[in-house]
Amino acid sequence: MIRAPAIVSLLSYPIYAAGIPRALRALNRRLRRVAILNYHSISEGRLNGGYRSCLDLLGMEVPIGSFKKHIRYIKDHYTVVGLDELVVALANNCELPDNGIVLTFDDGFRDNYTAAVPALKDHGLTAAFFVIGDAIIGEHPVWPHHLYLLLDRLSGKPFTFSWESHEFLNCQRLEDADKLRLIAQLKHTKAQVPGSEAEKMLQAMCDQNGVDFQQLLNEPLFMQEKQLHDICEAGHIVGAHSMTHADLGAAGSAAVAEEIRMSKEAALAFCKAGFFAFAFPYGTRNNYNATVIGELQKNGFNCALTTIEGLNGNNADRYALKRIEIGPFNKIELSTHLSGAIGDIKSAVKYITGRNRNADLRKKRVSKAP
Ligand SMILES: [Zn+2]
């Protein structure tokens, strides 16, 4: 099965062959548009038995070998600047850095510390790491990451799961395609239950498949205090990514206030003095709103990052900064994504489909009118 991000990446080849990334790069330099890259996990490779991890299947994992190539390419073609430098320039209406690029990592995976940070150090580069409050404390599972971890553990093994009236997959061998199907089904089910129920659902999945829930929680999946202090000392930025990795766009105002206040408290010990950054979990336009941004401002956050693909110019909104999601790209894919070409195409498609949808709705309203 070819995933949607992989299909988008296929567009890179004709775009690259037409010389568009090179032309856009020159234009971006003139307009001083800055790209903020968004990485997640930096891995060592395939699981036991050759299975792919859930993060790999979802395009959120970059093997360390590819990551090192990315860093070399970025060093050769761009100037890596700190997120704080970019935000200060935007806040003060100053000229943005020339040919600038910002590196960010979401979710605070332990492999960021063991793999990404040493590779960045080799090139004298720094990045911003967005951590989930519950992941630092380690008492509760983090959705969806502990689910991914559990499915990865069960790869190639028999799998069964039922939850209340919901029936899920039963199979003799959990294959990569089954994992993707289950993730989609569980995402839908999770959206219908309160936060604490999701933890019970995960615990039930462990029990039904002979996995010790507490042991799953104890897996060193995320960076803890020691690693965060280390990366802070090495000059990296640590930012907040909510308390429970909640969809803040769907949460009530009291829950939003709590998520933001507590996640700032959890990340505060590792924050660069006077600079507080936030990355919206999931990060699309549906996952934040004016209430969320108002709470961030009330809590003294200087900026917020989305996952909406695009570059940031002088008029960029500091509380809705665009990023470019980075997968295990080769040089052609990386160069095309960094130029902003894929983001521009996605925006154009969204604009056209949105305009068509609105036109259809108008037509329906007119035909329904008495
Ligand atoms: Zn996240």
Side-chain angles (χ1 to χ4, degrees):
M1 184 166 60
I2 303 179
R3 291 172 299 103
I7 294 168
V8 172
S9 270
L10 285 177
L11 285 174
S12 300
Y13 295 88
I15 294 171
Y16 186 85
I20 293 171
R22 185 188 286 263
L24 273 179
R25 221 172 33 236
L27 181 70
N28 293 335
R29 280 194 80 156
R30 244 204 327 274
L31 298 176
R32 299 268 169 139
R33 299 206 298 171
V34 175
I36 307 177
L37 310 195
N38 182 20
Y39 285 96
H40 286 86
S41 165
I42 306 298
S43 75
E44 295 295 341
R46 296 271 159 112
L47 304 172
N48 279 344
Y51 288 97
R52 293 172 64 188
S53 69
C54 293
L55 288 171
D56 180 19
L57 291 164
L58 295 166
M60 293 163 67
E61 186 176 292
V62 176
I64 181 64
S66 301
F67 180 70
K68 286 179 177 171
K69 286 181 190 161
H70 289 188
I71 293 300
R72 272 198 295 276
Y73 177 87
I74 290 164
K75 252 230 125 164
D76 287 347
H77 294 83
Y78 291 91
T79 307
V80 175
V81 293
L83 179 61
D84 50 344
E85 289 175 65
L86 169 66
V87 171
V88 166
L90 284 171
N92 296 304
N93 256 330
C94 298
E95 202 163 60
L96 297 188
D98 179 23
N99 206 25
I101 214 165
V102 176
L103 303 172
T104 72
F105 294 78
D106 277 9
D107 301 335
F109 289 109
R110 182 73 67 106
D111 61 26
N112 291 177
Y113 180 78
T114 53
V117 168
L120 292 170
K121 190 179 172 198
D122 286 347
H123 292 278
L125 302 178
T126 56
F129 296 85
F130 289 93
V131 296
I132 304 158
D134 264 356
I136 305 173
I137 297 165
E139 285 173 6
H140 297 284
V142 174
W143 189 280
H145 302 310
H146 278 96
L147 165 70
Y148 297 162
L149 184 65
L150 175 58
L151 295 182
D152 290 345
R153 281 266 211 94
L154 295 170
S155 296
K157 296 182 180 158
F159 181 86
T160 180
F161 185 51
S162 60
W163 167 253
E164 294 177 345
S165 58
H166 305 278
E167 275 300 321
F168 296 93
L169 188 75
N170 283 295
C171 60
Q172 278 310 303
R173 229 166 63 164
L174 189 68
E175 302 286 352
D176 289 344
D178 300 324
K179 294 199 286 188
L180 279 176
R181 253 198 310 276
L182 261 171
I183 290 167
Q185 284 176 345
L186 287 161
K187 187 179 165 193
H188 180 71
T189 312
K190 155 85 167 55
Q192 299 169 324
V193 301
S196 57
E197 289 293 297
E199 181 165 344
K200 287 183 195 160
M201 189 158 78
L202 201 61
Q203 196 158 4
M205 195 185 291
C206 283
D207 293 346
Q208 290 173 32
N209 290 281
V211 173
D212 185 325
F213 178 63
Q214 199 51 48
Q215 212 173 50
L216 189 82
L217 275 188
N218 293 342
E219 283 276 325
L221 182 58
F222 298 107
M223 289 187 277
Q224 309 285 270
E225 283 190 25
K226 187 206 169 311
Q227 291 88 30
L228 292 171
H229 277 302
D230 284 354
I231 64 170
C232 189
E233 292 223 327
H236 301 285
I237 287 169
V238 176
H241 193 40
S242 83
M243 199 60 199
T244 67
H245 206 260
D247 172 0
L248 298 179
S253 53
V256 166
E258 198 68 350
E259 284 277 350
I260 290 173
R261 187 186 62 77
M262 287 175 69
S263 69
K264 186 179 173 189
E265 230 164 73
L268 198 60
F270 320 105
C271 285
K272 205 168 180 175
F275 182 74
F276 305 115
F278 191 89
F280 301 115
Y282 311 104
T284 72
R285 278 194 179 86
N286 296 327
N287 307 122
Y288 67 96
N289 52 37
T291 307
V292 179
I293 292 174
E295 277 302 326
L296 289 173
Q297 291 170 336
K298 208 162 87 185
N299 281 275
F301 280 93
N302 303 88
C303 68
L305 287 75
T306 70
T307 55
I308 298 166
E309 184 148 345
L311 305 177
N312 300 281
N314 263 315
N315 57 356
D317 179 351
R318 271 192 295 139
Y319 290 93
L321 291 170
K322 293 179 177 172
R323 287 193 284 181
I324 297 174
E325 295 233 40
I326 305 293
F329 300 151
N330 61 28
K331 189 179 152 193
I332 289 176
E333 292 166 341
L334 185 69
S335 146
T336 309
H337 276 266
L338 298 199
S339 73
I342 299 290
D344 289 347
I345 290 172
K346 279 185 181 172
S347 307
V349 169
K350 210 168 239 172
Y351 175 74
I352 293 164
T353 51
R355 215 174 48 171
N356 289 347
R357 203 177 304 127
N358 289 340
D360 285 348
L361 280 174
R362 273 197 300 275
K363 264 187 223 161
K364 269 185 197 160
R365 268 190 226 125
V366 168
S367 64
K368 272 188 184 170

